[in-house]
Amino acid sequence: MAKLGGLVQKEQPVVQDTGNGPASPKSTLDPHHSNNISSGVGKKRHRVQKECSHDVSESRKLRSLQTGFKIQDRMCLTLRPTREEFSQPFSKYVGDVFRENPDCPCFKVVAPVGWKPRQEDYDFSMVNIGAPIKQHVFGRSGAYMCILEEQRSMNGSTYAGMASNASRAPPEKKHGDAMMERSFWSSITMNPPVYGADTPMSLFDEELPWGWNLRDLRCMFSEYDVPEIAGVTSPMTYFGMWKAFFAWHKEDLDLYSINYLHMGEPKVWYCVPPSESDKFDAMARQLFPEGASACSEFVRHKNMMISPSLLRSHNINYVQALQQPGEFIVLNASSYHAGYNLGFNCAEAVNFALPEWIDIGKNCSQCECGALADGVSLDMSIFIPGLYDSSSGSEELSEQTADCGQDTSDSDSEFEVQNETENRSEMKTPSMEQKVRKRGRPLGSRNKAKQSRRRSAHSSIKSYRPNDVQRLPREAVHITWGPVVDAKPIALVMKTDSNEKTFTLVHRLYRPASRPDSAWFGVLEKGTDNLYWPKGETVLIQFGVANLPKTVNVRTEWVCPENRRRGAWKLLSKESRILM
């Protein structure tokens, strides 16, 4: 098993390019020197402290020179904090760097000698990779589209064996090509790799004696009532092999991000400064016009790769990094990035927020075409109270429903079993024509005649529009759900494994499903006080010819008990009648 001891490997000289263009001049990265940092007066290399040094004043002197680093040098900024600096609050250290370098797309941090993320060896046999992804790539001349095919789950040890197979071994490194760019880009469409991405867990110990811990960065999220969102507020692990890549994208909600490489072969990064985002978007629209016409935020689908030679030909600045085991890559908010792995490795990443992100998050554009069924959304009024308050009192549904004891049910009936066909049709949106796959990956179009038959079966049922989306009290909707269709919950009746009827309260979500006869629901959890409140679970329910599952309209009431800080839903309908 690999075991980290806080040691840092020395980087080799790097050739700046690849792909489909001429190689750039060679740039050597010395682990004891900064990367062509300019003082603002002249071009000058500055000696920086060694990892074991505790000369804080010298480190601060280096920090003052970072504002002039030249993006034209391509290599990302590398910092080697002292133990004292690495022990200070994460947000302060990282925030200081980005405030002094607001357009720096990313920087690398080499942890001080003696720090390590865990005491025990890695045991990947205990790690379950729920949905490894085979990455099929099509295209030419530096512009590629990807089809991501889910594989069966496997444990980390099985993945390691597959990644180490001779058929997936990387070619021999050529002198001066530590990043193996030419080998990667010239063979990107061959022998599809498998990427073990998005496993919601952390390999960091729960408590560390000192230094950064991705389990708890204590960023701005911890200062607000933000629910846990895997990969955003809690880490995910990533298992890579030679050529396994992460396509061009920004982070969810344009957040900051940090990635730590636990062990294995290096990871290569390309990052574009936030100021270059518009130029990048224009290039992407030009290269992929069909994707752009289908969705204004199609880059968020994470299914395109663009070579660095195309970035240069479109005059887009970028930096690149070679991340070794034991090193962090810290990404700026709203920075496009992509990269690939040089062999079997294991990394861990999580998002974080700084105060400077609030305006970015508030203005962040989201994919609305339906391709990202599990996309992340966040109620920004958590950070900006009153952000969504309406100027019209008659339209302030959130204030109306927030009143304690309000009955949200229909007055003419206690409950009503909904027709499954009606339920399915009401979940249909204009974007339903674009089929989506589990985990938000685009699928090919289905047989047109088959679609036409299905549409005709539901042609008499109305569909809802975006302005039908309901506004509820903030605590009545989980932050990961997104928009909700109805102003009140309904009951979802299903059968258990023992063939017994059971139900739970749910909210229908304004989220297109992969089939006309299915719908997304946000689940409400029943507490010991028999009240229901939202949990972070969403389910995709397919309705068939059988009687179950089915939805039932029920009478509910929004209440604010004295012994609870938050309101909850009270079920007024009799459970026995719901299960009839």
Side-chain angles (χ1 to χ4, degrees), residues 353-522:
L354 300 174
E356 289 80 2
W357 165 79
I358 292 181
D359 284 340
I360 297 173
K362 182 178 68 175
N363 299 311
C364 172
S365 299
Q366 299 283 1
C367 166
E368 297 180 352
C369 73
L372 300 179
D374 57 351
V376 173
S377 61
L378 191 63
D379 183 358
M380 292 303 295
S381 65
I382 293 175
F383 311 101
I384 312 172
L387 176 64
Y388 302 124
D389 285 353
S390 171
S391 59
S392 172
S394 62
E395 295 179 356
E396 291 184 349
L397 181 59
S398 60
E399 288 187 7
Q400 296 172 9
T401 56
D403 292 336
C404 296
Q406 178 181 349
D407 188 349
T408 63
S409 64
D410 295 333
S411 58
D412 56 344
S413 63
E414 177 179 329
F415 72 100
E416 174 187 356
V417 178
Q418 288 185 323
N419 182 284
E420 282 77 12
T421 304
E422 179 179 353
N423 180 58
R424 292 174 229 144
S425 176
E426 289 185 359
M427 288 303 298
K428 187 167 63 176
T429 71
S431 62
M432 185 62 79
E433 294 297 325
Q434 178 169 357
K435 297 300 176 180
V436 295
R437 182 198 299 258
K438 182 182 177 184
R439 294 167 60 87
R441 295 179 174 84
L443 287 172
S445 60
R446 293 175 180 265
N447 182 278
K448 297 294 182 181
K450 189 174 183 180
Q451 289 183 9
S452 177
R453 289 195 300 269
R454 293 194 178 201
R455 282 197 297 269
S456 63
H458 311 295
S459 58
S460 62
I461 307 299
K462 70 180 183 69
S463 62
Y464 65 85
R465 301 174 299 278
N467 58 5
D468 294 327
V469 171
Q470 302 295 327
R471 293 288 303 279
L472 300 175
R474 192 180 75 187
E475 59 266 33
V477 180
H478 196 273
I479 203 168
T480 61
W481 287 0
V484 170
V485 175
D486 301 307
K488 60 181 181 179
I490 57 179
L492 177 64
V493 182
M494 305 182 71
K495 280 189 177 182
T496 65
D497 294 338
S498 57
N499 210 31
E500 295 180 357
K501 285 185 178 181
T502 184
F503 77 91
T504 185
L505 295 190
V506 296
H507 267 294
R508 288 191 299 167
L509 304 183
Y510 185 72
R511 182 186 297 182
S514 56
R515 295 183 56 177
D517 55 353
S518 58
W520 282 98
F521 296 90

